[in-house]
């Protein structure tokens, strides 16, 4: 558990920050890799000993951070949607519709897509929850979380090992 | 889709051949920069990028965000794209350095 804790803490923090619109707009795609880097820093601090972190372990910690961030973000997003009966998908629905019209698809396909998305929007507005929206978000968040978390984990491992390289060489 | 890794604000999206990008101008710059970096790596040797240079490449993004937030100038898609592009190229080159270290470590452990 102690090994997973840094990933859980940083994943939770990233998941919470992802649903805050101001932070989300400011940090954009850098939040998840940063969470991965901080997970490595926390891991080193919590272990109490300065040791070279193997890249495999760093990558795994980063990956777990991304997974936790995706789970927490989807969870908080669902809770907020359930309470407010609205979310970014509902708010930006007109833009989504416009974006679909710009796509080089046949009219039939565009209408089908818009119909499907309208159904999801109606479910969120009516019940505060849509199974298809939540599961789609979860899968999409997990894919992005794993990739970006992994990147952060690798970068964090390199930073920490480079920072402590003087310590290793003096031993 | 991609909402987890980009705010996707409509006014910050680029339009290429009449189609809007799925991520903002800065993120498009980062991904395009990474693509250019990967092309560079294909034809030339891996450059060892120092951490300081990597962090230095992040500064234009940081300053751009701060300057926009304090209303020094308005958001510009071009500046956002360019700052993202610089970071993207450096990120990929730096990442190749990291992956190189990973394989060196694996080679030593075998």
């Amino acid at each position: 558990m102690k090994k997973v804790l840094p990933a859980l803490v940083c994943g939770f923090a990233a998941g919470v920050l992802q649903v805050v619109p101001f932070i989300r707009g400011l940090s954009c795609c850098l939040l998840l890799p940063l969470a991965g880097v901080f997970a490595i820093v926390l891991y080193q601090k919590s272990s109490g000993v300065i040791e070279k972190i193997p890249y495999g372990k760093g990558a795994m910690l980063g990956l777990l951070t991304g997974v936790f961030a995706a789970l927490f973000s989807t969870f908080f997003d669902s809770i907020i949607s359930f309470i407010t009966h609205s979310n970014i998908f509902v708010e930006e629905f007109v833009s989504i519709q416009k974006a679909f019209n710009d796509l080089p698809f046949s009219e039939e396909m565009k209408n089908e897509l818009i119909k499907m998305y309208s159904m999801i929007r109606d479910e969120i507005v009516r019940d505060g929850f849509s199974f298809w929206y939540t599961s789609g978000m979860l899968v999409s968040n997990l894919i992005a979380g794993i990739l970006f978390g992994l990147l952060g984990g690798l970068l964090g491992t390199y930073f920490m090992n480079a920072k402590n390289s003087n310590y290793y060489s003096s031993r | 889709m991609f909402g987890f890794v980009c705010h996707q604000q409509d006014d910050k999206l680029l339009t290429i051949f009449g189609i809007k990008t799925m991520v903002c101008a800065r993120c498009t710059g980062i991904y395009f920069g990474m693509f250019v970096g990967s092309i560079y790596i294909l034809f030339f040797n891996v450059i060892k990028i120092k951490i300081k240079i990597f962090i230095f490449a992040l500064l234009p993004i940081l300053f751009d965000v701060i300057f926009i937030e304090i209303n020094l100038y308005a958001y510009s898609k071009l500046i956002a794209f360019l700052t993202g592009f610089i970071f993207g190229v450096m990120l990929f080159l730096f990442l190749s350095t990291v992956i190189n270290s990973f394989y060196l470590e694996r080679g030593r452990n075998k």
Side-chain angles (χ1 to χ4, degrees):
Chain A
M1 184 64 191
K2 202 181 171 187
K3 284 179 183 171
V4 186
L5 207 60
L8 187 68
V9 170
C10 292
F12 178 78
V16 172
L17 292 176
Q18 276 288 346
V19 288
V20 181
F22 176 72
I23 305 280
R24 188 188 163 101
L26 212 67
S27 60
C28 208
C29 58
L30 299 176
L31 189 65
L32 272 177
L34 271 177
V37 171
F38 276 112
I40 303 294
V41 176
L42 265 185
Y43 171 77
Q44 180 99 80
K45 298 265 182 209
S46 66
S47 67
V49 282
I50 300 170
E51 56 176 2
K52 198 169 183 186
I53 304 165
Y55 279 101
K57 192 178 264 181
M60 189 50 81
L61 257 176
L63 189 146
L64 277 174
T65 307
V67 169
F68 285 129
L71 292 176
F72 282 120
S73 175
T74 312
F75 175 72
F76 289 126
D77 195 43
S78 301
I79 293 285
I80 292 168
S81 299
F82 190 72
I83 295 166
T84 60
H85 286 239
S86 176
N87 59 20
I88 195 157
F89 177 76
V90 175
E91 286 162 16
E92 297 289 328
F93 189 73
V94 179
S95 306
I96 294 168
Q97 250 179 326
K98 221 174 133 218
F100 271 134
N101 286 326
D102 292 340
L103 289 172
F105 296 154
S106 66
E107 280 303 314
E108 197 185 337
M109 199 175 188
K110 279 182 201 172
N111 290 337
E112 201 60 39
L113 278 168
I114 290 170
K115 205 173 125 189
M116 201 171 76
Y117 272 56
S118 300
M119 197 185 77
I120 293 172
R121 186 201 54 178
D122 293 344
E123 274 180 358
I124 297 169
V125 173
R126 193 182 59 239
D127 309 322
F129 179 80
S130 163
F131 171 76
W132 293 112
Y133 175 78
T134 309
S135 45
M137 280 292 287
L138 183 64
V139 172
S140 158
N141 288 356
L142 276 173
I143 294 169
I146 285 170
L147 279 173
F148 282 71
L150 192 73
L151 179 76
L154 282 173
L155 291 177
T157 309
Y158 188 82
F159 289 149
M160 287 311 280
N161 287 347
K163 190 186 158 209
N164 299 323
S165 59
N166 290 338
Y167 179 80
Y168 309 137
S169 54
S170 66
R171 283 166 82 189
Chain B
M1 212 176 181
F2 306 118
F4 193 45
V5 285
C6 182
H7 51 72
Q8 297 177 311
Q9 285 171 23
D10 197 40
D11 55 328
K12 292 179 180 175
L13 303 182
L14 288 177
T15 308
I16 302 167
F17 301 120
I19 299 170
K20 281 190 173 172
T21 52
M22 296 287 275
V23 288
C24 71
R26 201 182 311 281
C27 289
T28 309
I30 293 174
Y31 298 130
F32 186 65
M34 287 183 81
F35 173 69
V36 170
S38 68
I39 298 285
Y40 178 87
I41 294 289
L42 271 180
F43 296 103
F44 302 98
N45 287 335
V46 174
I47 313 167
K48 200 165 187 265
I49 301 283
K50 288 184 177 171
I51 294 174
K52 277 178 191 168
I53 297 172
F54 174 68
I55 291 169
F56 195 72
L58 191 61
L59 291 180
I61 293 183
L62 196 71
F63 284 126
D64 186 36
V65 171
I66 291 169
F67 291 159
I68 292 165
E69 287 303 316
I70 60 169
N71 289 323
L72 201 68
Y73 56 75
Y75 176 84
S76 156
K77 285 180 188 175
L78 181 70
I79 296 173
F81 180 83
L82 286 176
T83 54
F85 179 79
I86 294 165
F87 179 67
V89 173
M90 282 299 161
L91 178 64
F92 196 85
L93 295 179
F94 186 71
L95 203 60
S96 64
T97 311
V98 174
I99 292 167
N100 218 21
S101 305
F102 171 64
Y103 279 107
L104 279 174
E105 187 187 274
R106 268 187 68 178
R108 271 198 297 268
N109 291 342
K110 271 186 181 172

